[in-house]
Amino acid sequence: HFQYRLSSLGSQGRWKAGSAPGLYRDTVLLPRSEFPMRLTGQKLLDRELQIQQECGFADLYSWQRERKAKKEFCLHDGPPYANGDPHVGHALNKILKDIRNRFEMLRGRQVHYIPGWDCHGLPIELKALGELGTSGLSPMQIRQKARQFAEGAIARQKAAFQRWGLMADWDQCYYTYDGAYEAAQLKVFQEMHGKGFIYQDYKPVFWSPSSRTALAEAELEYNPEHVSRAIYATFPLSTLPPEMASEGLESGVSVLVWTTQPWTIPANQAVCYMPNAQYSVVKRADNSQLLLVATERTASVAALLATELESIGTFTGSQLEGGICKHPTIPDKEVPLLPANHVTMAKGTGLVHTAPAHGMEDYSVASQFKLPVECMVDEDGKFTDLAGPELQHLCVMTEGTDKVISMLAECGALLKEEQCVHSYPYDWRTKQPVVIRPSKQWFINTASLKDKAKEALQKVRVLPESARGSLLTMLDRRTYWCISRQRSWGVPIPVFYHRETGEALINKHTVSHLAELFKEKGSDCWWELPIETLLPDQSKAGPVTDYVRGEDVLDIWFDSGASWAAVLEESDSRADAYVEGKDQIGGWFQSSLLTSVAVRNKAPYKSLVVHGFAVSEKGEKMSKSLGNVVDPDVVINGGKDPSVPAYGADVLRWWVAESNVFSEVQIGPTALNSARDSIGKLRNTLKFLLGNLQGFDPRVQAVDPKEMHYIDQYMLHQLREYSIKVTDAYSEFDAGRAIRVLQAFITRDLSSFYFSIIKDRLYCDPEDSLGRRSCQTVLEEILDGVTRSIAPILPHLAEEVYLHAPGHDGGETLFKSGWIKSSSVWRRPGLEEAVEGACAIRDSFLSSIPGKNAAQYDLTIAIEPGLLFELMESLQEEATSTSSQLAELMTVARVNLASGLPRDLPPDAPLSHGTFLINLEGGVIREDSAYSIAAVPTSAARCPRCRRYTADSADCLCPRCQTIVSQAH
């Protein structure tokens, strides 16, 4: 006998652990099972590893790929970055994917899931080289060190993923540094280049001086606490706009501009205005200086300068056309006033200093009006000689800014300086600010792909739907995508340059030839092989010695964005789902969409699942400095400190499943303890089921549903409803809802209801009786259904239960035996009405005897003639009974069932009344039935064997137990 702790099992005071008196102990069929109630510490860890080994976790993916299946489910794995140890963000993402994969595999689909790693890029290069830097190292030396570092990170991450119970073929993963992958990537590059989507140009890009490379938008982090030295500076008008001159204004008017980047003033080529806005020439009260500012910004400028401003004249923006200003720091240089749509009135003066080399919008103005784009900043973020001897070699963000402000002050152009706290882009890895500077780079023309990408997104399901707006916003923000990087660790851009002219040589012959070489030898051959081998004869115009190979590599977002071409088995196939964190809205989701739309005119995915980030229990971002980092290895195996428990992999998986993954997901001791306790309660339920199925063989002892007790048939009906709900939840990527459905089923339908009702039948009826076998048949179906329903989330526990399940011969594992096996025969809506009508009466009865033991009462039920009475008659044919299904459901000593009104109830008994709405055949039959009940203490004695109040006296058995004991002897 074992101790079980389902509190509701003893709620009516009949059966609790060890309650059978010694005299009749051997005649009572109490639960027995070797399934452990609890597993903790090393025993838990050993058991999980044993389950993985014995149940073939490592071979499961290959097995399901080889079996025949009507449908395939493809979840394309977004490659984690191979630059560090596994963390809880990995756990959240990978386990979420595995839950869906295991669900799809269980319900008969062939799962296509190939884990991958993103292996190139600056962060890996920096970590691999450490303090050595790149000084003095050849590209191949850098690449070898970076590859070794990536391989080590991959090995650690892969081992963790396997320990978490992820289903995959870990010998068949994809890596972006594999030659075959790089070859597929080059083919995507060639397709896009051939269609004109990829081009080379000289234009402003985000540039990281700390990394000495160009960056894409997805490689930026915006620091909201960045502090800039903002200035107000004047550009004297040397030529008044004609409209202004005609108003009689004389010279001496200065245009007032505001900028948070003073270092860009030397590169100024224009001042822009908003064509439809109003502008005023104002006179300062303190020194009579004339300034041109936007009319609606006049009051704020007056407050800033601490003086009154008198309006001399007002003009529309379009009337400023033709005006020319003197450059404040460069003698003899003049710059025009030009219209622009990007000018706003939110801050500043309504007039925008424009440096085409250092701003994306400024560059657009330069392109429209053919302004020069002069870069005065080098790759280290320092002024070049073009900026003049005073500024040359100064770092633009620090001492260069100081010097420019000093120069403006010296020439009288500086009116005001202030500290400005604002959001500013930083390099995502070095955590240092970036600058915008022009550079000759390779770009993707995303503006020409935007409409096609939006159209393709309309056919994609997005979870949650609210993320779709962010995807569309990101697409709108990106007019071009810089895909070249000035590093060594990456896929080389397949281009050759003429030694003399610098003209690029790239065509389908050169790229196809390189793709074949990469496939065979890997991209290292770009640096290792002579150019004569790299450049095919038919593709060059002139001697091979006239050309040199390019030195740039592709952006890693292009690497991973081409994964659909390298990993999905058919060139025209789409993955059923991409599942990643919300940071991939501007990253992998977008780069994959753009490359696929460019090449195939469709999205690479049918659905997108966007989850939140893992954060601390306080909702804070995890960081070592805050000491709130949760290590998944410590979660599973415990910490060095004995107070940090070993939770095992299933607790980590339950944490993922239970969380609302579409928002930020909190993790810490509270969440993990809650997950552990929930699994403990689940184990308790499973142990009860297993204990009561000891010796039961469903293959030969199962009862046909038509012959079952009505309450048992009802539970099959409920089990079918449960299976439908939990299947729907998994189908919607909502494992949290699956858990809530599970817990509601266990708490409401099983523990508080069915288990408490059938105890007497299970423990005290003859072993082979129809009633006992009937509920055992249902318990076996419940055990099977619940075990399969938890399997995607808790594979270790599910397989452990399956090993103990009745009829299990030790051969097949649960994951090879399919999903929940519910039958349409189980659906009994009419029976549901009968049982729920009885439950309504039962609730009225129990509420009438608060705190009392229902087993000590006789219950009389009077129901007016009609459907409800007929339904109750199906549960008790006799007028009075101690052993009817209605008496079992009410958990009372005796039930008297009468068709009539309260006068049929016992005199002086406390009465309870109620109504029950019957709704049969989809609402065709509806009836509101009234009933009354009366409960009186029973005159019968408690049977010393079954503990029911059905014996004639306390020292003798009830009739049923007398028969069973006499037959046993």
Side-chain angles (χ1 to χ4, degrees):
H1 309 301
F2 64 79
Q3 300 285 324
Y4 55 88
R5 295 183 177 83
L6 285 171
S7 60
S8 61
L9 294 189
S11 62
Q12 303 307 323
R14 290 216 299 269
W15 281 110
K16 290 189 178 180
S19 63
L23 182 62
Y24 302 108
R25 186 184 300 277
D26 293 339
T27 71
V28 177
L29 300 167
L30 288 176
R32 289 179 291 112
S33 175
E34 295 178 0
F35 180 78
M37 177 80 78
R38 293 184 66 200
L39 281 176
T40 58
Q42 194 59 45
K43 286 184 178 180
L44 169 64
L45 304 182
D46 292 344
R47 186 58 172 156
E48 284 190 341
L49 293 173
Q50 182 185 9
I51 291 290
Q52 289 191 5
Q53 184 70 30
E54 291 181 1
C55 298
F57 276 39
D59 303 321
L60 184 58
Y61 182 83
S62 299
W63 171 84
Q64 63 90 32
R65 288 299 294 172
E66 292 166 3
R67 70 175 176 173
K68 291 182 180 179
K70 292 181 180 179
K71 289 186 177 180
E72 180 179 86
F73 176 77
C74 177
L75 197 161
H76 182 35
D77 189 36
Y81 207 48
N83 73 327
D85 292 327
H87 52 71
V88 287
H90 290 131
L92 175 62
N93 178 259
K94 296 297 183 182
I95 292 171
L96 187 62
K97 293 173 182 174
D98 191 62
I99 289 171
R100 182 57 182 267
N101 282 340
R102 285 181 176 272
F103 164 68
E104 294 292 349
M105 191 273 287
L106 276 168
R107 66 173 182 164
R109 292 189 176 180
Q110 193 176 67
V111 172
H112 180 281
Y113 175 74
I114 301 175
W117 274 269
D118 199 354
C119 310
H120 290 133
L122 176 64
I124 292 173
E125 190 175 319
L126 293 177
K127 280 195 172 184
L129 298 175
E131 295 178 359
L132 291 174
T134 58
S135 178
L137 296 179
S138 68
M140 277 309 300
Q141 288 173 318
I142 293 171
R143 288 174 65 83
Q144 285 166 1
K145 288 183 176 294
R147 176 182 283 268
Q148 288 171 0
F149 181 87
E151 287 172 343
I154 289 168
R156 295 191 300 278
Q157 290 182 18
K158 186 185 291 188
F161 299 166
Q162 290 174 272
R163 179 62 185 91
W164 302 343
L166 306 189
M167 180 183 70
D169 183 348
W170 297 103
D171 295 326
Q172 299 295 324
C173 302
Y174 78 89
Y175 311 96
T176 59
Y177 59 32
D178 273 355
Y181 186 100
E182 293 171 327
Q185 184 179 336
L186 285 198
K187 289 177 182 177
V188 172
F189 183 95
Q190 167 54 28
E191 285 272 349
M192 295 180 69
H193 182 266
K195 292 179 178 180
F197 293 124
I198 292 179
Y199 62 98
Q200 191 180 35
D201 200 0
Y202 180 80
K203 63 170 68 178
V205 295
F206 290 108
W207 184 271
S208 171
S210 55
S211 300
R212 300 188 85 253
T213 186
L215 298 177
E217 179 77 32
E219 295 170 297
L220 303 175
E221 287 181 352
Y222 283 83
N223 176 8
E225 304 299 323
H226 180 82
V227 180
S228 291
R229 296 176 67 185
I231 61 163
Y232 290 80
T234 55
F235 282 64
L237 275 170
S238 57
T239 301
L240 291 176
E243 293 282 350
M244 192 178 290
S246 67
E247 291 293 320
L249 283 171
E250 301 175 359
S251 59
V253 178
S254 292
V255 175
L256 184 62
V257 302
W258 173 78
T259 180
T260 60
Q261 306 300 312
W263 63 267
T264 61
I265 291 286
N268 177 278
Q269 300 292 347
V271 175
C272 290
Y273 56 83
M274 186 187 293
N276 298 325
Q278 295 289 315
Y279 289 86
S280 297
V281 174
V282 295
K283 180 189 288 188
R284 293 181 60 163
D286 55 354
N287 61 13
S288 299
Q289 184 181 22
L290 297 178
L291 301 173
L292 177 65
V293 296
T295 304
E296 68 177 88
R297 298 298 301 165
T298 302
S300 59
V301 171
L304 179 92
L305 298 177
T307 185
E308 292 183 4
L309 297 177
E310 177 190 354
S311 178
I312 303 300
T314 301
F315 310 87
T316 62
S318 57
Q319 291 177 313
L320 302 182
E321 185 178 355
I324 297 175
C325 305
K326 293 179 181 178
H327 194 289
T329 64
I330 303 176
D332 303 324
K333 179 174 181 177
E334 294 185 323
V335 297
L337 286 173
L338 295 174
N341 294 324
H342 70 272
V343 179
T344 69
M345 298 294 168
K347 287 184 178 181
T349 66
L351 291 150
V352 178
H353 140 66
T354 302
H358 304 296
M360 311 301 187
E361 291 155 329
D362 307 46
Y363 177 78
S364 297
V365 173
S367 299
Q368 182 181 352
F369 292 100
K370 304 294 188 273
L371 301 177
V373 182
E374 296 178 352
C375 183
M376 299 181 178
V377 181
D378 66 14
E379 295 178 348
D380 293 313
K382 296 179 179 180
F383 280 117
T384 65
D385 56 352
L386 287 176
E390 288 185 274
L391 294 172
Q392 187 177 2
H393 303 311
L394 297 182
C395 178
V396 299
M397 296 293 285
T398 52
E399 63 260 37
T401 294
D402 296 342
K403 185 60 180 175
V404 170
I405 292 174
S406 173
M407 292 167 66
L408 288 168
E410 289 171 9
C411 67
L414 181 67
L415 292 197
K416 183 74 175 179
E417 178 189 346
E418 61 184 1
Q419 298 282 298
C420 178
V421 179
H422 62 122
S423 181
Y424 190 84
Y426 277 54
D427 185 324
W428 69 325
R429 290 302 176 186
T430 64
K431 310 300 182 186
Q432 296 299 312
V434 301
V435 297
I436 295 175
R437 65 181 287 271
S439 176
K440 197 167 190 179
Q441 303 286 347
W442 288 89
F443 298 92
I444 292 176
N445 184 356
T446 51
S448 62
L449 286 169
K450 190 186 306 179
D451 291 340
K452 286 184 178 180
K454 287 182 176 180
E455 185 180 340
L457 265 182
Q458 290 179 352
K459 301 172 184 176
V460 174
R461 187 173 184 223
V462 182
L463 290 173
E465 178 61 31
S466 57
R468 188 185 301 276
S470 301
L471 282 159
L472 294 172
T473 300
M474 287 288 190
L475 282 171
D476 280 331
R477 280 176 55 182
R478 194 177 219 174
T479 54
Y480 55 84
W481 170 13
C482 177
I483 58 170
S484 48
R485 298 290 180 272
Q486 290 64 55
R487 309 300 300 187
S488 300
W489 180 228
V491 178
I493 294 180
V495 62
F496 302 89
Y497 296 98
H498 195 276
R499 286 182 184 275
E500 300 299 328
T501 66
E503 184 178 350
L505 172 60
I506 180 172
N507 55 50
K508 64 180 181 180
H509 299 296
T510 60
V511 180
S512 296
H513 177 69
L514 288 169
E516 289 301 316
L517 285 176
F518 284 16
K519 187 174 184 179
E520 179 185 353
K521 302 176 183 297
S523 59
D524 282 353
C525 70
W526 180 256
W527 288 270
E528 292 176 328
L529 295 178
I531 196 166
E532 291 82 0
T533 306
L534 297 174
L535 192 53
D537 292 334
Q538 71 271 28
S539 60
K540 59 183 181 289
V544 69
T545 52
D546 287 352
Y547 292 90
V548 295
R549 72 199 90 197
E551 297 179 353
D552 293 344
V553 297
L554 283 164
D555 175 17
I556 57 173
W557 292 108
F558 191 87
D559 283 15
S560 59
S563 61
W564 56 265
V567 180
L568 302 186
E569 290 178 345
E570 298 175 14
S571 59
D572 62 342
S573 65
R574 293 194 300 158
D576 287 287
Y578 276 35
V579 183
E580 300 300 328
K582 62 184 181 181
D583 55 330
Q584 299 307 317
I585 287 174
W588 189 56
F589 289 156
Q590 189 177 136
S591 63
S592 299
L593 176 67
L594 292 171
T595 54
S596 181
V597 165
V599 174
R600 309 186 301 170
N601 206 28
K602 64 181 179 183
Y605 35 70
K606 297 175 186 175
S607 64
L608 283 180
V609 180
V610 187
H611 63 74
F613 296 145
V615 295
S616 74
E617 284 191 330
K618 295 180 179 179
E620 299 168 333
K621 183 178 179 181
M622 292 188 190
S623 71
K624 291 180 180 178
S625 61
L626 291 175
N628 61 0
V629 174
V630 177
D631 184 345
D633 180 66
V634 173
V635 170
I636 292 175
N637 298 307
K640 295 177 181 178
D641 183 343
S643 66
V644 180
Y647 290 100
D650 273 355
V651 164
L652 188 66
R653 294 177 67 97
W654 182 279
W655 161 72
V656 171
E658 192 176 29
S659 302
N660 177 11
V661 296
F662 300 127
S663 63
E664 307 299 51
V665 183
Q666 295 181 351
I667 185 172
T670 303
L672 293 170
N673 287 336
S674 173
R676 180 186 59 193
D677 293 345
S678 295
I679 295 174
K681 292 174 183 177
L682 177 59
R683 284 190 77 95
N684 201 4
T685 301
L686 294 167
K687 184 172 178 67
F688 175 81
L689 288 164
L690 288 167
N692 283 294
L693 290 169
Q694 181 72 27
F696 177 73
D697 188 344
R699 292 166 293 192
V700 295
Q701 295 173 326
V703 176
D704 187 283
K706 294 177 183 177
E707 300 176 9
M708 288 180 177
H709 283 211
Y710 285 142
I711 188 66
D712 300 331
Q713 294 182 45
Y714 170 74
M715 282 312 301
L716 288 181
H717 175 88
Q718 293 297 89
L719 178 60
R720 183 176 182 273
E721 293 297 307
Y722 164 75
S723 70
I724 291 170
K725 290 177 182 177
V726 82
T727 300
D728 287 345
Y730 280 123
S731 299
E732 295 290 320
F733 266 100
D734 198 346
R737 175 152 56 98
I739 284 181
R740 292 192 296 276
V741 169
L742 165 75
Q743 291 177 325
F745 180 64
I746 287 176
T747 303
R748 184 185 62 235
D749 294 325
L750 298 183
S751 298
S752 299
F753 179 64
Y754 188 59
F755 289 173
S756 66
I757 288 169
I758 62 170
K759 292 193 310 292
D760 181 69
R761 237 195 305 163
L762 273 176
Y763 302 163
C764 300
D765 272 7
E767 185 171 6
D768 290 320
S769 66
L770 176 64
R772 189 167 188 275
R773 293 302 188 206
S774 173
C775 68
Q776 279 189 310
T777 304
V778 174
L779 290 180
E780 193 276 331
E781 294 288 4
I782 291 172
L783 174 69
D784 190 71
V786 168
T787 304
R788 293 180 194 281
S789 70
I790 65 170
I793 299 169
L794 306 173
H796 303 89
L797 176 59
E799 288 288 17
E800 184 187 4
V801 172
Y802 196 64
L803 290 172
H804 289 83
H808 185 264
D809 55 12
E812 192 178 49
T813 65
L814 181 141
F815 280 96
K816 294 182 179 179
S817 61
W819 187 232
I820 306 172
K821 301 173 179 65
S822 67
S823 169
S824 58
V825 176
W826 296 355
R827 186 174 181 272
R828 298 290 304 276
L831 181 61
E832 181 182 24
E833 289 290 333
V835 174
E836 291 186 356
C839 287
I841 296 171
R842 180 176 183 255
D843 290 342
S844 296
F845 158 57
L846 293 175
S847 63
S848 72
I849 56 163
K852 303 291 181 60
N853 182 1
Q856 297 178 5
Y857 283 82
D858 290 341
L859 179 65
T860 300
I861 306 171
I863 309 174
E864 63 183 20
L867 276 176
L868 181 60
F869 180 76
E870 291 172 13
L871 291 172
M872 292 308 101
E873 273 195 316
S874 68
L875 297 173
Q876 179 171 305
E877 296 177 359
E878 309 89 350
T880 182
S881 176
T882 61
S883 58
S884 69
Q885 295 181 48
L886 187 57
E888 178 186 53
L889 199 153
M890 296 296 165
T891 61
V892 293
R894 180 187 304 274
V895 170
N896 302 307
L897 180 62
S899 171
L901 299 174
R903 64 173 177 269
D904 298 306
L905 298 174
D908 303 324
L911 301 181
S912 294
H913 307 280
T915 58
F916 181 71
L917 176 63
I918 299 172
N919 190 8
L920 291 176
E921 307 298 333
V924 175
I925 302 174
R926 293 173 60 87
E927 183 179 294
D928 214 2
S929 296
Y931 63 84
S932 299
I933 60 171
V936 295
T938 184
S939 59
R942 189 171 73 165
C943 171
R945 177 177 177 271
C946 70
R947 298 294 182 92
R948 287 195 65 205
Y949 287 80
T950 51
D952 292 335
S953 63
D955 57 354
C956 70
L957 298 174
C958 69
R960 177 197 52 177
C961 290
Q962 251 180 346
T963 304
I964 293 170
V965 171
S966 63
Q967 289 174 349
H969 289 294

